Amino acid sequence: SGMPPPRPALPLEKQQEAGAGLATPFPSEAGAAEGSLGTELFCFSLAAPRGAERGLLRMQHSLGTGIFKCDRFAIYSNTTLEITQGVSARVVDIDLSCPRGGDSYTALNSWVFIAVWKKVIDDGWYKEYTWIVKVDPDAVFFPDRLRHVLRDHAGAGYLSNCAFG
């Protein structure tokens, strides 16, 4: 756990442009795809073999939403896991179970994600895209909205939507 390094605050105007304010409309996915230069997305999820994540990913795939609306996607798990016909998880050789603890009593899963990121890097698919996006299977994720935000962050090393890093 621990505290991340300080980050500059996102000005209120940028927050509103990014969707924090409901008054700002977002472009359609088709509009984002036409002008997506610099916002090409490689998106991935880590899915546990048991629980709701497989079903959530299957539903997202059937609806063509979430990571399945990115320019390319991948799913990782610690076992062979078919999400739907033609969509299977890439296997990462690591135990996904981990204890909870630290100052915020969260999952102590850093080593799990280090192994997943190593697999992402070894696969190399990300190299064809401007951005890599790690998305939890239970997250509501709109790639078209993210592309809109990313247009203002060309050349940034990373963006985080988590107050704790």
Side-chain angles (χ1 to χ4, degrees):
S1 176
M3 296 303 294
R7 295 188 185 101
L10 189 62
L12 181 59
E13 307 84 49
K14 296 290 184 196
Q15 289 178 25
Q16 290 172 339
E17 288 174 18
L22 296 177
T24 305
F26 288 96
S28 69
E29 182 66 26
E34 290 171 12
S36 67
L37 186 62
T39 62
E40 299 85 6
L41 304 176
F42 170 69
C43 302
F44 74 92
S45 291
L46 172 64
R50 289 176 286 288
E53 293 179 340
R54 183 177 178 191
L56 289 168
L57 287 166
R58 184 177 289 134
M59 177 193 64
Q60 292 168 28
H61 183 269
S62 72
L63 295 171
T65 191
I67 66 170
F68 304 102
K69 253 193 164 171
C70 294
D71 299 295
R72 185 162 188 175
F73 65 87
I75 300 163
Y76 295 90
S77 188
N78 65 333
T79 187
T80 302
L81 186 66
E82 185 178 56
I83 303 304
T84 190
Q85 186 175 1
V87 179
S88 295
R90 310 274 302 142
V91 177
V92 180
D93 187 22
I94 192 159
D95 183 1
L96 297 183
S97 60
C98 57
R100 294 174 100 42
D103 55 357
S104 56
Y105 198 68
T106 56
L108 301 176
N109 58 5
S110 295
W111 294 111
V112 169
F113 284 100
I114 289 170
V116 172
W117 276 103
K118 182 177 181 335
K119 182 71 171 170
V120 168
I121 291 166
D122 289 348
D123 285 348
W125 297 336
Y126 72 93
K127 293 177 185 178
E128 300 172 30
Y129 305 92
T130 312
W131 293 91
I132 305 170
V133 185
K134 184 252 178 219
V135 181
D136 289 342
D138 61 351
V140 175
F141 173 57
F142 299 100
D144 52 337
R145 291 185 180 188
L146 179 60
R147 284 186 180 98
H148 182 72
V149 172
L150 293 176
R151 289 185 182 118
D152 292 333
H153 296 282
Y158 71 94
L159 298 178
S160 175
N161 69 342
C162 178
F164 303 108

